[in-house]
Amino acid sequence: MSAPARVTPSISETTSKVPRGTLYRGNEGMWSWVLHRVTGIAIFFFLLVHILDTALIRVSPEAYDAVIGTYKNPIMGLGEVALVGAIAYHAYNGLRIILVDFWGWATRHQRQLWWGVLGLWVVTMLGFTPRHLINVFSSMGVGH
């Protein structure tokens, strides 16, 4: 008796839709990782600029006043909202990462914890943003 003929599978049957070697495929874990890195870099650059403009007071108080004066506009007010958003997300997600690193139950519930991080972030931003923007836009015409 002869062996059955070997059927060669088609390319679509043997080719994965996801590239090999890709760890993340667009789920919550990938977005948590990406947002944590992006917010960390943004906070780093803010702190760098903040240290440099604060150090300017030792060089020239007039130059310091001029630089700080440029920050008093609505665009920078929106930037402050973005900064608080970045800090809040980075802090809440950092706590989630600590939980996942130290407790086994948290590893099994990473997805729910990330949604919890987003929920806390939304509540924080809903509390901060309106109050801050009221302050920013109410002082537009008033000299301080």
Side-chain angles (χ1 to χ4, degrees):
M1 184 178 250
S2 66
R6 183 173 175 196
V7 177
T8 305
S10 70
I11 291 189
S12 64
E13 292 173 331
T14 60
T15 305
S16 173
K17 304 247 186 286
V18 178
R20 292 193 187 276
T22 300
L23 182 61
Y24 294 116
R25 292 176 173 84
N27 294 328
E28 290 88 351
M30 182 197 71
W31 291 114
S32 167
W33 184 87
V34 168
L35 288 173
H36 199 73
R37 277 22 176 219
V38 168
T39 57
I41 291 168
I43 293 166
F44 169 79
F45 282 112
F46 163 77
L47 289 173
L48 178 65
V49 170
H50 178 63
I51 290 168
L52 292 174
D53 69 13
T54 302
L56 192 57
I57 199 163
R58 303 286 279 162
V59 176
S60 169
E62 296 79 22
Y64 172 80
D65 289 339
V67 168
I68 296 302
T70 64
Y71 294 160
K72 295 179 181 178
N73 64 59
I75 293 172
M76 290 306 289
L78 294 173
E80 290 168 343
V81 170
L83 175 65
V84 169
I87 292 169
Y89 176 80
H90 197 79
Y92 294 147
N93 195 53
L95 293 173
R96 183 193 68 84
I97 291 169
I98 290 170
L99 289 174
V100 169
D101 284 347
F102 289 107
W103 288 284
W105 66 266
T107 304
R108 293 184 301 276
H109 297 92
Q110 284 191 64
R111 178 174 289 162
Q112 294 87 350
L113 287 171
W114 188 68
W115 285 106
V117 164
L118 290 182
L120 281 172
W121 180 81
V122 166
V123 167
T124 301
M125 294 310 292
L126 286 175
F128 171 76
T129 303
R131 175 71 180 169
H132 180 68
L133 291 179
I134 287 170
N135 289 336
V136 166
F137 289 108
S138 69
S139 65
M140 279 181 51
V142 180
H144 285 264

